[in-house]
DNA sequence: CCGCATCCGCTTCGATACTG
DNA sequence: CAGTATCGAAGCGGATGCGG
């Protein structure tokens, strides 16, 4: 019988190091990214994290659960669907993910043929980009959408949005890679900002 | 002859994944943390990153240099001192580190005997904590200090601070672990906020 | 099918020793 | 001081197995 190992740690009395003890391992923050948009089942996560191996995904989910970032839930006994969801503490990580997304956006200029693509991956960096709009916005890119409080960069699914921002994936590319500006894209009608 | 390998990547067309391709490996973000406060020599870095092995530190510095986050400089030919420093692009990472520091602060409540401690590690999470003060503040904890623009959470060594905030390390512990509040600590005179 | 656990070859890490 | 060389241990990626 294997009794959980002592967990690897940087062993530094520092908030950054402690944070990395929880979300610093390979794949962990990308799992948080996936769950930022709502609960997902194991298979969905595996599908939207191309390259992760099954055992690593299972291990990370267990660690995140032990650290109070993720919780495992089972829906209706009639149709027992198992999903993973962020806890409140886990949702507080979204601004960290968003800050990294904002920093990483310029790196999207280098588009590799072998890169995987999912539409919902655009949402967080776009939130950082339209931050000047203020308030709560609902962002829509192709089929995917999410609601973000632009001040705190928190994802707030239940809040009523002040505006709905619709962006085509192609334009999202241009914006994130810095090949066009938000003002230009709005002027050209490629980004539609509609007050609710 | 070894010609640099193709670099491991998540191969996802996503800003978070791209960011992690650069700062997601073990130790990398902690190196950025160290350099957030100004240039450091190799030996200083090795001393303030207890647990990192020499070859990993050397490898990470090379990678960060290749990614334009860090630059290696040599001071005065008379006294050839080699230091590592953040580039402008690297400095833009400080808000990411600060966001993670803010999230990680509550984890400091669990203080292990074996944890390493450095005073300058308190500065960034404290900046997040006193953010309501606004403007540019100079934070002082024991011998260490740094200047932070509280709106952007950027470190701005050259800017004149609007206020100087002095905190004893012991009080910093209490604040970060959430065992006392900023208002209380200011009332009790343990945190001194002095306008410049 | 869904939700993992097991196995296996490869890469990365950590500790120490060594060098210009 | 500023790294490189070496080597055992741990982590990872891919394929496969398997109960519910």
């Amino acid at each position: 019988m294997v009794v959980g190992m002592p967990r690897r740690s940087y062993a530094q009395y520092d908030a950054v190091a402690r944070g990395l003890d929880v979300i610093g391992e390979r794949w962990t923050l990308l799992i948080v990214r996936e769950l930022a948009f709502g609960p997902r089942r194991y298979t969905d996560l595996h599908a939207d994290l191309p390259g992760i191996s099954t055992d690593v995904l299972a291990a990370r989910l267990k660690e995140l659960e032990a650290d109070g970032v993720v919780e495992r839930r089972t829906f209706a006994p009639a149709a027992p669907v198992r999903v993973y969801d962020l806890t409140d503490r886990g949702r507080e990580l979204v601004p960290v993910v968003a800050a990294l997304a904002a920093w990483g956006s310029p790196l999207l200029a280098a588009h590799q043929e072998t890169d995987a693509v999912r539409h919902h991956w655009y949402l967080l960096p776009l939130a950082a980009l339209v931050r000047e709009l203020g308030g709560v916005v609902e962002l829509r890119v192709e089929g995917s959408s999410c609601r973000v409080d632009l001040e705190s960069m928190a994802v707030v699914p239940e809040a009523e949005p002040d505006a709905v921002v619709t962006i085509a994936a192609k334009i999202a590319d241009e914006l994130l890679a810095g090949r066009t500006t938000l003002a230009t894209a709005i002027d050209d009608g490629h980004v539609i900002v509609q007050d609710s």
Side-chain angles (χ1 to χ4, degrees), chain A:
Chain A
M1 174 190 178
V2 180
V3 287
M5 300 202 333
R7 269 306 266 297
R8 188 200 235 185
S9 162
Y10 284 110
Q12 297 183 3
Y13 190 71
D14 163 58
V16 181
R18 279 289 207 279
L20 289 173
D21 283 344
V22 176
I23 55 90
E25 273 179 311
R26 193 160 165 76
W27 292 108
T28 305
L29 206 56
L30 292 182
I31 294 174
V32 174
R33 175 197 69 190
E34 288 306 309
L35 294 177
F37 307 105
R40 293 278 187 282
R41 0 168 67 181
Y42 184 92
T43 316
D44 299 332
L45 290 172
H46 191 259
D48 278 350
L49 293 167
I52 199 173
S53 54
T54 57
D55 58 345
V56 170
L57 176 55
R60 294 291 182 274
L61 286 170
K62 264 181 203 158
E63 292 160 11
L64 285 171
E65 204 182 351
D67 286 327
V69 173
V70 157
E71 56 187 5
R72 188 193 321 236
R73 283 205 314 258
T74 307
F75 281 153
V81 177
R82 255 195 204 131
V83 296
Y84 292 88
D85 196 2
L86 293 181
T87 60
D88 289 340
R89 173 78 178 145
R91 233 161 268 127
E92 289 171 15
L93 263 174
V94 174
V96 176
V97 179
L100 182 56
W103 187 84
S105 291
L107 303 175
L108 293 179
H111 199 326
Q112 299 295 118
E113 274 305 316
T114 49
D115 285 341
V117 180
R118 301 288 186 282
H119 289 312
H120 66 276
W121 294 347
Y122 290 87
L123 298 171
L124 280 181
L126 285 174
L129 207 100
V130 303
R131 204 163 175 190
E132 57 202 71
L133 294 178
V136 174
V137 299
E138 176 167 322
L139 281 161
R140 295 181 183 172
V141 176
E142 308 290 327
S144 303
S145 75
C146 75
R147 294 175 179 184
V148 179
D149 173 8
L150 293 181
E151 195 184 352
S152 62
M153 291 304 286
V155 172
V156 285
E158 70 293 335
E160 276 310 303
D162 301 313
V164 177
V165 181
T166 308
I167 311 180
K170 199 162 188 176
I171 304 301
D173 269 18
E174 304 285 320
L175 283 167
L176 294 177
R179 289 194 298 271
T180 185
T181 67
L182 180 61
T184 306
I186 290 177
D187 281 352
D188 294 352
H190 293 133
V191 170
I192 300 166
V193 182
Q194 191 171 353
D195 292 339
S196 307

